[in-house]
Amino acid sequence: MPASVDAVAPLVGRILVAYESLPAKGDPTELHLVYNQSAPAVAYQPVILQLLPLDAAWRARQAAVAWPTSGLPELLVADATTLAAFIREYLFVSLFRACAESLASENASRLAAMQRADKNIDGLLEELNGNFHRLRQDEIDEELFDVVAGYEALRTDEGRPG
């Protein structure tokens, strides 16, 4: 997990290089992505996403999305290298988004923990201040009682015949 946003792109690049260096076999390699995503009720929730192979349901959903402009994109060279480049970009964006969401959910968890700790500190501080004021008032009361008792003792001593 990257420690900052600046470290996300280099990490994703290393993951892609490691994935591309895997030995190619006849069957397409499955690539699953597991990451944490922010959730409203809890700090985060785990997400499991299959990136490769591109399943038929995903392709159908993508094909159903209307193109945003009237001009459709054109490929000068429609071969396997173009498809591989598109798949690499798809993987890069998916991995980048997952790393960013994981980082955001981790930071949200840390922030929530710090806010709970701050609230606990405030409560403890109020309790300790209350204890301090109560103990200080007890000391003041005790000193006043001693002064009053001493005054009463002197006053009764002065009233006695000597």
Side-chain angles (χ1 to χ4, degrees), residues 12-143:
V12 171
R14 287 193 305 271
I15 292 171
L16 287 175
V17 167
Y19 175 74
E20 290 170 350
S21 68
L22 293 173
K25 296 181 182 174
D27 297 328
T29 304
E30 282 192 10
L31 181 61
H32 294 268
L33 181 60
V34 180
Y35 63 98
N36 291 321
Q37 184 179 49
S38 295
V42 294
Y44 60 88
Q45 65 183 10
V47 175
I48 301 171
L49 181 64
Q50 179 180 338
L51 296 178
L52 291 177
L54 301 174
D55 62 346
W58 181 85
R59 286 185 289 183
R61 283 192 310 272
Q62 297 305 314
V65 174
W67 191 255
T69 64
S70 60
L72 294 175
E74 294 182 29
L75 297 176
L76 297 177
V77 179
D79 61 356
T81 57
T82 304
L83 179 60
F86 281 141
I87 290 175
R88 181 175 170 78
E89 290 301 314
Y90 163 71
L91 292 176
F92 182 86
V93 169
S94 298
L95 291 168
F96 191 94
R97 185 191 72 216
C99 286
E101 285 184 5
S102 287
L103 187 60
S105 67
E106 181 181 340
N107 286 337
S109 293
R110 287 180 181 174
L111 180 62
M114 288 170 48
Q115 288 172 336
R116 284 190 306 272
D118 188 43
K119 184 178 177 183
N120 290 341
I121 288 171
D122 288 343
L124 185 60
L125 186 60
E126 283 181 28
E127 181 182 338
L128 290 174
N129 277 334
N131 288 343
F132 169 76
H133 291 301
R134 186 177 35 70
L135 290 172
R136 180 69 182 129
Q137 189 62 49
D138 289 346
E139 288 177 11
I140 292 170
D141 290 347
E142 187 176 322
E143 289 176 10

